[in-house]
Amino acid sequence: MTSKRFMLRPAILLAAVLAIHPGAHADAVYKCVDKEGRVEFTDVNKPGCKALDLPGYIPAPSTRPAVPAPAASGGNTMRQGAARPAASSPANFPRVDSYAQRQRDDDRRDILNEELRAEEKKLAELKAVFNNGEPERQGNEKNYAKYQERVARMRDDIGRSEKNIEALKREIGNIR
């Protein structure tokens, strides 16, 4: 048994998916009904389709690059393997002077170094408690399985901390 309220849900769901999905670039959403009465929601306007007015729906901007017009002189064309010209920013693109950018990079480096020191300290503490895979048993670990679970969690925590340290070092290395 299908109610009208249920029939409206696919339209709302489709609008939400199209609005959120990064690959969706619809300018509008259309509701199409075929000869058998089947309903289809699409971003392609076909015969027999009606555009839906979906409140709050904002179409995603197109990510396709604009195709440059061919040069009027005709002599300067790009060939495969030729060096590409440097991409230029629009005139109204916000600029940051080199001093401000250097300050931002220094602040970022300081923050990352502080996080790195904290993560290294945490790793040292975890390894000390881990005791080379044989941590001391706690009073509530009379059952060996509980002890093994805690050791496995500790091993995971150490691995995660080591990966965090690697990522922080990589990030610090990427700063200009």
Side-chain angles (χ1 to χ4, degrees):
M1 179 178 223
T2 309
S3 67
K4 287 186 179 185
R5 192 170 58 175
F6 180 73
M7 294 299 282
L8 294 178
R9 286 186 184 153
I12 294 169
L13 178 65
L14 178 69
V17 168
L18 285 174
I20 294 172
H21 190 275
H25 301 292
D27 291 330
V29 177
Y30 300 94
K31 178 180 178 182
C32 306
V33 181
D34 65 6
K35 295 174 186 170
E36 287 82 34
R38 291 182 295 228
V39 178
E40 175 187 7
F41 295 94
T42 182
D43 62 342
V44 179
N45 189 6
K46 299 186 267 186
C49 296
K50 294 182 182 177
L52 295 177
D53 180 27
L54 301 171
Y57 172 69
I58 301 171
S62 177
T63 58
R64 297 181 197 148
V67 178
S73 65
N76 191 4
T77 59
M78 292 288 290
R79 284 188 234 137
Q80 186 175 3
R84 297 197 179 274
S88 61
S89 299
N92 61 349
F93 196 77
R95 304 265 182 213
V96 177
D97 65 354
S98 61
Y99 177 76
Q101 185 62 47
R102 203 172 316 119
Q103 287 297 109
R104 290 178 184 178
D105 290 343
D106 290 343
D107 291 344
R108 184 167 177 236
R109 186 178 295 108
D110 291 342
I111 292 168
L112 289 172
N113 280 326
E114 189 175 313
E115 287 182 19
L116 179 62
R117 282 190 296 275
E119 195 68 36
E120 286 173 338
K121 180 180 176 186
K122 177 182 170 186
L123 178 62
E125 291 170 358
L126 286 170
K127 284 185 174 182
V129 172
F130 189 62
N131 194 22
N132 292 326
E134 297 179 7
E136 290 186 31
R137 282 185 131 175
Q138 296 176 342
N140 63 350
E141 295 176 335
K142 295 192 187 329
N143 184 348
Y144 189 68
K146 283 186 180 182
Y147 174 75
Q148 290 292 18
E149 287 176 17
R150 185 169 67 93
V151 170
R153 276 194 312 269
M154 293 173 83
R155 195 172 284 123
D156 291 343
D157 290 344
I158 289 172
R160 191 175 312 110
S161 186
E162 288 172 341
K163 287 180 182 176
N164 288 345
I165 289 171
E166 289 172 18
L168 285 167
K169 286 180 179 178
R170 204 170 34 247
E171 196 65 29
I172 290 169
N174 289 338
I175 297 175
R176 290 182 243 151

